[in-house]
DNA sequence: CTTGATAGTCACCAGACAGTGACATTGTCA
DNA sequence: TGACAATGTCACTGTCTGGTGACTATCAAG
């Protein structure tokens, strides 16, 4: 795209357009992390980047475009390696219940360890608009991939696996997002690591119980 | 409080203050239901009520006070009767797993049938402020009561019941709120009644499996 | 040097917001 | 009747928002 500051063609890079674009994209992340998605607006992001807001329109055709670029940039969602523990072969060698249990635990930990991901999750959760649409594609793909891998070579007609995925995913998403907002849920302190060990144990127990140990 | 438009004392009710308060409180509900909590502001609510916004400050000492009054008004959370199916005695006569399963299903249905409750749930979810604080007390009480009733006379040291409640409650809350925003979750259409039957069945299965049938 | 394109700045617009002070209207009591 | 308090209306402030048009500064090519 660029990287040709000299000679023929490439009339851009007068004052480094790409650097400015990067500053804007990074500013989105900082605002999102520090002030939450409510604060993600043209004015705030531009101020954070130390750049004029009009450049958001010129370079990204508006805030949704900038957010889309931001979404393309970062690794907000766990990839397959992370979810299956790094080794696909070893993962596939496990019994099905074991596989599911591991993937669930890794998904929980992955979401919990990504503040920006939790913020995006909450965002998408309650605002359906141009901005959040941009962030959703990557997640949908990641989700589908892990389900496909976990269920690979398995034929369990006795269990409604999609329904199981929905319930587990919903519980994890809710708790992860909730952790940032309200530290107590149904009497348990979500800011206490011990609580999360109990939740992990419970998820594990549920998966095994439903899948028949 | 009022109901004494004539004679001694009660210097108010010149132009019916109570009626105006009621109009404001009802306007909160309408705005919340129609436009979501993002729209709940002094200007919008006053406009909806057909009343000047200054009265919100005079009568409720600001928007948080009005929202608190609104929260006190409506029945947003299911009560014990609804959760246990109407008959406490019959409920308590059931085996524990049966009791839990029933309460979980009734809670899911209760939340799903209350659009305003779902909106409040989402609101509280992502905005922690004076407004949402007012809405939370009632919910916490309702939650604690049902857990107490379901666990009455039961001593299951083999299961981490609070963790189970947390996971189930989180899943239900997430799905109920999600239904309004994004109709598809993990591949299942949340606007299809058949999906909810599958979710109910899965929750039931999980409860029974974990509690040992 | 001139031309032209691009990068970046600045000032402004209209609309929504929360909040406040001054005013008019109405009813009750003395 | 007059005094007073309460109800309700109106106009206004200042601040934020998203968005746009006009400007300057810089660079490359002819």
């Amino acid at each position: 795209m660029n990287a040709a500051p000299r000679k023929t063609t490439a009339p851009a890079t007068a004052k480094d357009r790409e650097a400015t674009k990067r500053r804007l994209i990074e500013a989105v992340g900082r605002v999102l992390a520090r002030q939450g998605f409510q604060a993600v607006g043209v004015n705030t992001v531009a101020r954070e980047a130390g750049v004029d807001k009009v450049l958001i329109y010129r370079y990204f055709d508006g805030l949704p475009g900038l957010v889309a670029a931001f979404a393309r940039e970062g690794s907000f969602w766990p990839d397959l390696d992370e979810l299956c523990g790094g080794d696909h072969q070893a993962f596939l060698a496990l019994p099905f219940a074991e596989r599911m249990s591991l993937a669930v635990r890794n998904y929980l930990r992955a979401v919990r360890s990504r503040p920006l991901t939790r913020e995006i999750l909450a965002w998408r959760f309650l605002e359906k608009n141009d901005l959040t649409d941009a962030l959703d594609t990557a997640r949908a793909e990641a989700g589908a991939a892990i389900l496909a891998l976990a269920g690979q070579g398995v034929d369990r007609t006795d269990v409604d696996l999609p329904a199981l995925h929905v319930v587990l995913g919903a519980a994890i998403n809710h708790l992860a997002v909730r952790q940032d907002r309200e530290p107590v849920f149904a009497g348990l302190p979500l800011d206490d690591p011990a609580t999360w060990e109990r939740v992990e144990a419970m998820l594990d127990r549920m998966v095994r119980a439903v899948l028949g140990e």
Side-chain angles (χ1 to χ4, degrees), chain A:
Chain A
M1 289 297 185
N2 54 348
R6 288 289 158 84
K7 280 293 162 59
T8 57
T9 64
T13 333
K15 296 177 197 166
D16 216 345
R17 170 188 184 130
E18 293 306 315
T20 302
K21 289 174 74 172
R22 224 174 305 121
R23 293 184 67 177
L24 280 168
I25 290 174
E26 287 163 6
V28 171
R30 282 199 301 276
V31 170
L32 195 53
R34 189 176 339 117
Q35 302 168 252
F37 53 87
Q38 312 242 37
V40 176
V42 181
N43 293 299
T44 309
V45 170
R47 206 180 309 126
E48 171 72 30
V51 154
D52 196 280
K53 62 178 173 179
V54 79
L55 301 180
I56 294 177
Y57 297 99
R58 286 232 272 261
Y59 296 160
F60 300 98
D61 199 38
L63 193 57
L66 173 55
V67 172
F70 167 75
R72 249 175 272 121
E73 206 82 343
S75 64
F76 304 119
W77 307 105
D79 58 6
L80 278 184
D81 277 352
E82 185 170 358
L83 285 180
C84 70
D87 186 343
H88 288 216
Q89 297 308 320
F91 179 74
L92 284 174
L94 294 172
F96 182 53
E98 204 79 36
R99 233 188 273 175
M100 278 292 299
S101 172
L102 190 62
V104 164
R105 184 165 58 247
N106 284 337
Y107 176 68
L108 171 62
R109 290 180 181 175
V111 173
R112 285 236 306 140
S113 71
R114 288 173 168 83
L116 240 45
T117 298
R118 294 201 301 273
E119 204 61 40
I120 292 172
L121 217 41
W123 193 0
R124 173 55 174 191
F125 199 140
L126 69 56
E127 242 177 332
K128 164 87 172 152
N129 55 32
D130 296 345
L131 301 184
T132 54
D133 283 344
L135 293 164
D136 218 36
T137 311
R139 185 186 56 205
E141 289 167 2
I146 183 61
L147 293 186
L149 184 66
Q152 189 172 306
V154 175
D155 184 26
R156 290 286 297 253
T157 53
D158 59 322
V159 185
D160 187 351
L161 288 178
L164 179 62
H165 297 149
V166 162
V167 171
L168 294 176
I172 291 174
N173 285 353
H174 189 91
L175 291 176
V177 174
R178 179 95 176 206
Q179 166 191 13
D180 298 321
R181 313 298 205 266
E182 173 69 44
V184 172
F185 183 50
L188 292 192
L190 294 180
D191 49 1
D192 182 352
T195 296
W196 289 96
E197 284 176 24
R198 290 169 66 181
V199 168
E200 278 193 9
M202 179 51 65
L203 289 171
D204 188 74
R205 183 165 182 165
M206 289 170 121
V207 169
R208 290 172 195 275
V210 167
L211 295 182
E213 187 60 16

